[in-house]
Amino acid sequence: MINPYLPYPVRIDDIIVESEDRSLKTFKFVFLDPKDEEKFSYRAGQFAEISIAGVGEIPIGIASSPVEKGFIAFTINRAGKVTSHLHNMKVGDILGVRGPLGKSYPWDTMKGKNLLFIGGGFAFTTLRSSVVYLLHPDNREKYGTIDVVYGSRSPGMLLYLDELKEWEARDDINMHITVDRTDDPNWKYNIGFVPPIAEEKAPKSEGNTYAIVCGPPIMIKFTLPVLEKLGYDHDHIILSLENRMKCGIGVCGRCGIGEQLVCKDGPVFTLAEVNNTPKEF
Amino acid sequence: MRILQIQKTDWSAGLEKSRQDYRLIGPVKEGNNVSKFRELAAGEEPDFSISTTTMSPKSVVFPQSEVMFTFTTDSASPDCNIMKVPESSYSPRAIIGIRPFDAAAMNIVKMNFDTPDYRDPYWCDAYEACTFIGLAVTDPESCDFSTSTGTGPFDISGLDVLLIDAGEYFLVEVVTEKGSTWVRSAGFNKEADAESIEVLHSMRKEAKKKIVSTVAFENINKKETLDLYNESYWDSISFPCLNCGTCTYVCPTCWCFDIQDESDRKKGRRMKNWDSCMFPNFTIHTTGHNPRNTKLMRVRQRFMHKLKYHQSKYDKGILCVGCGRCVTSCPVNIDIREVCKQMNNS
């Protein structure tokens, strides 16, 4: 009988410092038992509970992509007890991962549609997972145009900079990278907050475009009116919510927003769904 | 349904006999006028003089603290940092004297712990090991409103056996196969005569009549969540609340829990502990942001979950069996029946 609380043991295979202030690191994990990797079959937008014995568990969006095999990756901000502990762990250390959990972005519903990703700060992890999935030759033609508006405080705070530059050079994805400010004279991308850059660069919706928005609350607050102006219906705006979680499987009761549980019924919701529920997130 | 009759003089012997096959759990009085369900020591009998135990019997399948896993953080061990499921015994246990509404609560809580997607093995294994030997409520407490929540003083929906205290003897309704196994194990086999069965029917009618406290919640189901959520009455309802959490701890249908690691040097365990939506820590984010940062929000969450969210999610009534414990235990007299009335009628 499966115990849904029992984490799969994983080994830290690589640690990449992602930001200039070293608050963000990407951890690549390899399953100790390769069979567990098959069981951990996920879609972009899902999350997992990372489990450190004696410290606790944290819910984190999966940053690796289903098309990447042999490892899973999470980009983690050092913020609380578990993340701080994790930031001090090293390659080779053993910990646990429980998942995949929650609902992914609605890949089946979005088939054949244009996609707009809007991300801010370090909330770009599951968006990275999505873009890598979409750009895979097996998947690219199943979807329409892809636009990505992604911004952070400064160039050094952008996640996955090398990949962003690679995507920038491609002709099957429209990248709109921005930073709040920079004094780098060689910065050749946008300067400005995400909402105005989105207003300027993002495609209008003719009802055939889905917008997936992940970022800090303040960015989301100012981005939603922009999307409305661009013609996006509330059921075509997709958000990924966060709440304090423990079980991750819809049982322990704490992440509820109305009758929905963010861990199990979400974390992915349309704005239309969120509008009908208490804003307790 | 098979109906037996047990002379009270034969009760203790039968109970003892069933210990060969079952661990016995029943209501007992502890210090400070607190009563609860716990395992009965050899020779100890369930205390049937307790009408509604202070603590609900949910702890029988959902202990206040439970070890989920054990682990070592000793790097010399090959199992370093790997969670291990502890050895647990789920041998058969008979819950003697559980009240019908408390057994009905088990069925409701089961919807949370045993779903098509996930099965909580701790709750489910314990639940499946139980045979519920209920005791009919013949003298309901004043706060008992179980008849209007879909259960009642003689409700058998959550039971394997129902005992009815008829003075000199118990009448015994054998509800399920599991119940029949327990009855056999205890050696009870005297069929009730027609006259006694008549007594049962009239006692049932009598007990139902004695419950005069009711709630109505049908209108709540028809109202929009956000309309109820934004009502002005939450201010006055929550005003006296101390956020002590007592209501959630005594409640047979409150199931929220926390997961915490405890360690002593290199050995540790992952615990499942009762938690409460009354506590600010229940929802606070690492950033310090708390989506339910006021008392009003927490009180509203409890009542909205019990009376609205659960109803709309499952369409199987409210998350409450009408045991009345939260009404009796609340230090500031917040009364779920009054809240329900406000939500339903205004």
Side-chain angles (χ1 to χ4, degrees):
Chain A
M1 195 61 78
I2 299 158
N3 183 328
Y5 302 105
L6 184 64
Y8 300 122
V10 295
R11 193 186 64 245
I12 302 179
D13 191 49
D14 197 11
I15 303 172
I16 303 150
V17 178
E18 293 282 1
S19 60
E20 61 189 1
D21 70 350
R22 302 184 69 81
S23 65
L24 290 153
K25 291 181 183 175
T26 295
F27 294 82
K28 277 191 177 178
F29 300 141
V30 172
F31 291 91
L32 293 195
D33 181 350
K35 280 193 276 257
D36 289 343
E37 187 183 342
E38 283 165 44
K39 289 185 227 160
F40 194 97
S41 163
Y42 63 97
R43 304 182 94 185
Q46 288 189 284
F47 71 98
E49 288 277 355
I50 295 176
S51 162
I52 302 177
V55 187
E57 293 188 308
I58 37 163
I60 303 281
I62 306 170
S64 54
S65 185
V67 294
E68 297 171 310
K69 301 295 176 194
F71 69 95
I72 51 172
F74 300 85
T75 302
I76 293 168
N77 179 39
R78 191 181 61 234
K81 201 172 88 175
V82 181
T83 55
S84 298
H85 188 99
L86 183 58
H87 266 244
N88 290 326
M89 290 175 82
K90 54 188 191 304
V91 170
D93 285 349
I94 305 293
L95 64 161
V97 168
R98 203 149 66 73
L101 302 169
K103 294 205 163 68
S104 72
Y105 297 120
W107 296 111
D108 298 330
T109 314
M110 297 190 302
K111 246 176 212 158
K113 310 288 185 193
N114 300 328
L115 302 174
L116 164 64
F117 294 93
I118 301 182
F122 57 85
F124 195 67
T125 59
T126 59
L127 300 187
R128 185 246 168 221
S129 174
S130 302
V131 172
V132 172
Y133 168 78
L134 289 166
L135 294 181
H136 191 272
D138 288 353
N139 304 318
R140 182 62 194 92
E141 63 187 21
K142 293 180 198 159
Y143 297 88
T145 62
I146 302 173
D147 281 75
V148 176
V149 181
Y150 174 41
S152 70
R153 291 203 302 272
S154 60
M157 293 303 289
L158 285 166
L159 296 180
Y160 321 124
L161 203 51
D162 293 343
E163 275 178 320
L164 295 179
K165 287 175 181 167
E166 267 174 50
W167 299 343
E168 182 80 45
R170 294 176 68 130
D171 58 7
D172 57 353
I173 179 168
N174 307 312
M175 296 296 295
H176 314 285
I177 301 167
T178 184
V179 292
D180 295 354
R181 61 195 165 277
T182 179
D183 41 23
D184 176 0
N186 297 320
W187 178 253
K188 52 184 182 184
Y189 309 108
N190 301 287
I191 294 177
F193 292 128
V194 166
I197 298 294
E199 185 162 8
E200 193 184 318
K201 309 271 181 166
K204 285 196 166 56
S205 173
E206 313 289 340
N208 59 347
T209 307
Y210 279 87
I212 301 177
V213 187
C214 285
I218 191 75
M219 183 204 93
I220 293 178
K221 183 179 169 187
F222 287 101
T223 300
L224 294 180
V226 167
L227 288 172
E228 283 177 359
K229 219 184 280 180
L230 292 170
Y232 288 80
D233 288 334
H234 287 183
D235 60 356
H236 280 56
I237 298 174
I238 293 160
L239 304 169
S240 183
L241 303 187
E242 292 188 333
N243 248 354
R244 187 182 175 104
M245 291 177 193
K246 288 289 177 171
C247 75
I249 57 172
V251 179
C252 81
R254 79 188 55 237
C255 67
I257 47 164
E259 64 188 79
Q260 314 270 0
L261 292 158
V262 173
C263 71
K264 191 180 168 193
D265 303 313
V268 173
F269 294 98
T270 64
L271 179 59
E273 289 170 322
V274 172
N275 287 340
N276 280 323
T277 197
K279 308 287 175 291
E280 292 182 342
F281 51 84
Chain B
M1 196 182 308
R2 201 169 161 221
I3 298 177
L4 304 177
Q5 196 167 332
I6 309 172
Q7 281 309 120
K8 282 199 175 160
T9 46
D10 298 334
W11 169 247
S12 301
L15 206 57
E16 270 321 290
K17 190 160 179 281
S18 73
R19 283 183 190 269
Q20 293 175 349
D21 304 312
Y22 296 85
R23 290 161 56 191
L24 298 187
I25 293 168
V28 289
K29 284 189 189 116
E30 304 274 86
N32 288 333
N33 286 328
V34 171
S35 52
K36 62 177 190 183
F37 279 73
R38 65 155 166 76
E39 186 150 0
L40 302 170
E44 190 181 18
E45 287 194 21
D47 186 344
F48 283 180
S49 72
I50 305 163
S51 179
T52 304
T53 45
T54 321
M55 302 300 288
S56 90
K58 72 177 169 188
S59 56
V60 168
V61 291
F62 179 33
Q64 183 166 356
S65 287
E66 184 169 20
V67 179
M68 305 176 84
F69 303 113
T70 58
F71 57 83
T72 172
T73 50
D74 183 353
S75 54
S77 162
D79 287 333
C80 178
N81 291 346
I82 294 177
M83 294 288 160
K84 298 287 171 192
V85 182
E87 294 274 322
S88 311
S89 157
Y90 292 105
S91 61
R93 63 212 59 184
I95 321 305
I96 314 287
I98 186 171
R99 296 297 181 170
F101 49 69
D102 282 334
M106 297 274 179
N107 282 347
I108 297 179
V109 175
K110 190 169 188 288
M111 292 195 272
N112 184 60
F113 286 108
D114 191 4
T115 74
D117 304 307
Y118 297 105
R119 177 183 183 274
D120 180 308
Y122 307 97
W123 193 96
C124 293
D125 290 348
Y127 173 82
E128 283 158 20
C130 288
T131 300
F132 295 103
I133 314 298
L135 178 63
V137 177
T138 43
D139 196 12
E141 297 205 7
S142 61
C143 293
D144 183 333
F145 55 102
S146 59
T147 44
S148 54
T149 59
T151 167
F154 278 56
D155 174 36
I156 54 169
S157 64
L159 293 174
D160 298 299
V161 169
L162 176 66
L163 304 171
I164 299 111
D165 186 340
E168 299 289 298
Y169 57 91
F170 289 113
L171 285 163
V172 186
E173 283 191 58
V174 184
V175 184
T176 66
E177 198 45 53
K178 251 186 167 178
S180 158
T181 308
W182 178 80
V183 167
R184 239 189 337 267
S185 165
F188 298 133
N189 53 18
K190 188 183 171 233
E191 304 286 337
D193 50 35
E195 195 184 331
S196 310
I197 293 171
E198 210 40 58
V199 170
L200 191 159
H201 291 318
S202 69
M203 284 183 77
R204 180 188 299 150
K205 222 179 279 171
E206 199 58 33
K208 274 190 188 162
K209 232 192 296 175
K210 279 190 201 164
I211 295 178
V212 289
S213 179
T214 59
V215 289
F217 45 82
E218 292 73 19
N219 294 339
I220 298 176
N221 205 15
K222 293 176 206 147
K223 293 183 188 188
E224 293 295 329
T225 291
L226 288 178
D227 290 344
L228 286 163
Y229 185 86
N230 291 320
E231 285 284 0
S232 58
Y233 49 62
W234 295 114
D235 198 31
S236 54
I237 289 170
S238 62
F239 177 73
C241 179
L242 310 171
N243 270 177
C244 68
T246 300
C247 50
T248 58
Y249 275 59
V250 298
C251 178
T253 63
C254 272
W255 62 57
C256 290
F257 64 88
D258 192 13
I259 298 175
Q260 288 289 339
D261 286 8
E262 294 177 358
S263 19
D264 180 7
R265 294 182 198 96
K266 291 180 172 170
K267 279 203 156 76
R269 47 197 198 160
R270 179 158 288 169
M271 305 292 298
K272 184 180 177 195
N273 300 321
W274 287 359
D275 207 343
S276 170
C277 57
M278 292 294 103
F279 303 154
N281 262 354
F282 189 63
T283 47
I284 194 166
H285 291 197
T286 306
T287 56
H289 165 65
N290 193 342
R292 287 203 284 271
N293 62 347
T294 63
K295 178 172 77 173
L296 182 150
M297 296 181 92
R298 296 190 283 274
V299 171
R300 175 173 56 190
Q301 166 66 17
R302 175 170 154 79
F303 290 117
M304 285 291 279
H305 188 204
K306 293 230 164 281
L307 305 173
K308 171 61 183 171
Y309 303 151
H310 186 83
Q311 254 200 106
S312 5
K313 186 163 184 169
Y314 297 101
D315 202 19
K316 286 192 176 160
I318 52 177
L319 182 54
C320 171
V321 291
C323 69
R325 284 188 183 88
C326 59
V327 182
T328 318
S329 305
C330 179
V332 297
N333 296 325
I334 294 176
D335 189 330
I336 190 169
R337 295 168 299 182
E338 293 301 317
V339 178
C340 192
K341 197 189 286 174
Q342 253 177 311
M343 290 173 73
N344 199 56
N345 298 345
S346 67

